[in-house]
Amino acid sequence: MFRSAVTRRLLIALAITAVGVAAGRIAGAGRVDDLVDGEAYFYAVTALLAIGLYSSTHGIERGQMRTDLRTVVLAVTVGVLAKAAVITLVMVVLFPGPEALVLGVAVAQIDPLSVAALQSSSRLSPRGKSLLLAWASFDDPVTTLLTIYAATLSVAVHDLGRTDALTELQGGGLSGFVAGAAFNAAFAAVVCGLWWLVLRRVRPGGAAAFTAGCVLLLVAAVVAVSQFWMLGVAIVGLFVRPSLAGAPEAFERRIGQLTQVALLLAILGTGFLLSMRVLFVAGLVLGVTAYAVHAVVSLPLTRGQTPDDRVQLAIAQQNGITAIVLSLLLAPVFPEVVATVTPAIVVINALHALCNTAYNRAGSWAAIRDRLRPSPSRSSRQEPALYINEAGAEIASPTQPAAGAFNCAPMPAQPQPGAPASAVSPPPAPDPDD
């Protein structure tokens, strides 16, 4: 297990977090608070979130996703809502407070970067891999929008103060949530429309198209970050994909490298905030609950998959850049979110490594099922043993010799199935004196 890619990523993340904690201790609590409350902090975290969202949807194969489009839609709507609701309920009951209403949403998604990194070593079928990647990619923007709505609800319920950067995002209630989704869709439609016009006027794969696509993405990123249109960024990543005919994988490699840098910066920032406090118990409960709830919610959503794929999808919960960045985003209003979400991420990823390693060793769901319910290899009915009474006759039960104590003739031995007739002694002849 300690040689797996998941474990290596987890250990690297812990090392970077430790560096951030050390930096935060050196800076002091006052400087950490000043940094979090600044407007620059909000836009920096939003930019990291935008990079992660674009990268998550950029790698989806649209053709394969159509096969399980209904499952993907249910997973990122009903599934995400169910997961967030159950996790939130557990945290509200056990750890009541303003943060409890946003913790469930912050960890309800699956990290698409971790899923993409493990695609080559995964034992999922091609259909299962496509479904998991699409699920992980699109539940990120949905949980981002839900996080803002949950934060709005918690602020209203607990009468909390708002920072300048989050005031606009947390206004409007449900109507603001719906309006935000509409603006995101309109933004994505404009950007995708412009990209379609570019491809109509210049040769796809050429230098002109590639340059125009990169400029379009850069301008769209600036607008999306300034307005917090993260769902729009995810939709854009599904369609706007510049490429060079001579080096078709160059853009993908650069996006991957940029995303890894964003992840490292997010982890470093998390460690910086963890220098103030860490809530281990709440994080442990949150992590175990999130992992278990995903398994329960996943099973009814994946009924059309093979048994092996259903099991692997049920134990596929991981958290990464989105959960980290969302906790950083909520830190100005909910200071204890980072202190709870960070250990929860460690617990979730550790459970993922343990469960997947155990399943790989088991081999398949059929092997596990056979171990739980072994089929009988032989008939449970045994041939009755034969005994010899005092008269030298074979009997089927050792209790039959007791018949002599009552002056009764012993019962004749019953022939055994398949035994030759000579193997059974004939009954004794009656005594004429009797």
Side-chain angles (χ1 to χ4, degrees):
M1 184 190 74
F2 292 100
R3 298 179 181 178
S4 66
V6 177
T7 306
R8 288 196 298 269
R9 290 164 61 91
L10 181 60
L11 294 176
I12 293 173
L14 290 176
I16 297 174
T17 303
V19 173
V21 170
R25 292 288 179 87
I26 295 173
R31 291 185 180 179
V32 173
D33 289 335
D34 292 340
L35 173 66
V36 172
D37 292 336
E39 188 174 1
Y41 171 87
F42 171 78
Y43 288 116
V45 172
T46 305
L48 297 178
L49 181 60
I51 293 172
L53 291 177
Y54 178 83
S55 177
S56 65
T57 56
H58 180 268
I60 295 178
E61 291 292 337
R62 295 190 296 267
Q64 293 183 0
M65 191 185 70
R66 296 190 188 99
T67 305
D68 292 299
L69 183 60
R70 178 177 177 273
T71 303
V72 172
V73 173
L74 288 175
V76 301
T77 54
V78 178
V80 169
L81 286 172
K83 288 169 63 176
V86 176
I87 299 169
T88 299
L89 179 61
V90 172
M91 298 307 294
V92 167
V93 171
L94 297 180
F95 304 95
E99 291 80 9
L101 291 177
V102 298
L103 290 173
V105 184
V107 297
Q109 78 289 132
I110 307 172
D111 179 38
L113 300 183
S114 300
V115 171
L118 297 176
Q119 286 285 293
S120 59
S121 60
S122 174
R123 295 173 55 217
L124 281 166
S125 67
R127 181 184 177 187
K129 290 180 180 179
S130 176
L131 171 60
L132 179 58
L133 184 58
W135 183 346
S137 300
F138 278 104
D139 65 359
D140 280 17
V142 173
T143 52
T144 300
L145 293 179
L146 288 177
T147 298
I148 301 304
Y149 184 67
T152 302
L153 178 62
S154 183
V155 166
V157 170
H158 296 279
D159 193 22
L160 301 178
R162 305 176 183 179
T163 63
D164 294 338
L166 290 176
T167 298
E168 184 177 353
L169 295 178
Q170 294 176 346
L174 182 59
S175 61
F177 176 81
V178 175
F183 280 122
N184 275 270
F187 164 75
V190 171
V191 176
C192 293
L194 291 174
W195 176 239
W196 179 78
L197 290 176
V198 169
L199 295 181
R200 294 269 299 187
R201 293 181 177 275
V202 296
R203 182 174 61 88
F210 180 77
T211 303
C214 292
V215 172
L216 178 61
L217 284 177
L218 183 60
V219 174
V222 173
V223 174
V225 169
S226 64
Q227 301 298 321
F228 201 78
W229 288 341
M230 296 297 102
L231 178 60
V233 171
I235 299 174
V236 168
L238 193 61
F239 296 98
V240 182
R241 301 175 177 182
S243 63
L244 284 171
E249 297 181 357
F251 185 75
E252 283 74 10
R253 286 199 300 268
R254 297 296 178 268
I255 289 297
Q257 293 169 357
L258 180 62
T259 306
Q260 291 300 324
V261 172
L263 176 59
L264 295 178
L265 291 175
I267 295 174
L268 188 65
T270 300
F272 196 72
L273 297 184
L274 284 177
S275 63
M276 302 177 64
R277 66 181 66 85
V278 182
L279 302 176
F280 288 107
V281 176
L284 175 63
V285 173
L286 178 61
V288 173
T289 303
Y291 195 85
V293 169
H294 169 79
V296 173
V297 172
S298 170
L299 291 176
L301 292 175
T302 57
R303 286 178 295 180
Q305 309 296 317
T306 64
D308 281 327
D309 280 357
R310 292 188 70 190
V311 174
Q312 293 180 83
L313 289 170
I315 59 177
Q317 176 69 31
Q318 298 178 79
N319 284 115
I321 185 171
T322 304
I324 294 171
V325 175
L326 286 179
S327 65
L328 293 175
L329 188 67
L330 294 169
V333 182
F334 306 98
E336 294 185 353
V337 167
V338 173
T340 306
V341 169
T342 303
I345 293 174
V346 176
V347 171
I348 291 170
N349 291 340
L351 288 174
H352 176 274
L354 290 171
C355 293
N356 281 269
T357 300
Y359 185 77
N360 290 337
R361 289 179 178 176
S364 66
W365 170 243
I368 297 176
R369 183 183 57 194
D370 290 342
R371 292 174 185 176
L372 296 177
R373 295 184 302 173
S375 57
S377 58
R378 52 186 148 185
S379 174
S380 58
R381 190 178 68 178
Q382 298 179 352
E383 298 293 338
L386 295 179
Y387 298 87
I388 306 298
N389 62 7
E390 295 178 355
E394 294 180 343
I395 59 175
S397 171
T399 60
Q400 289 192 13
F406 299 94
N407 296 323
C408 298
M411 295 181 61
Q414 301 298 320
Q416 302 301 316
S422 59
V424 181
S425 301
D431 190 350
D433 296 336
D434 293 341

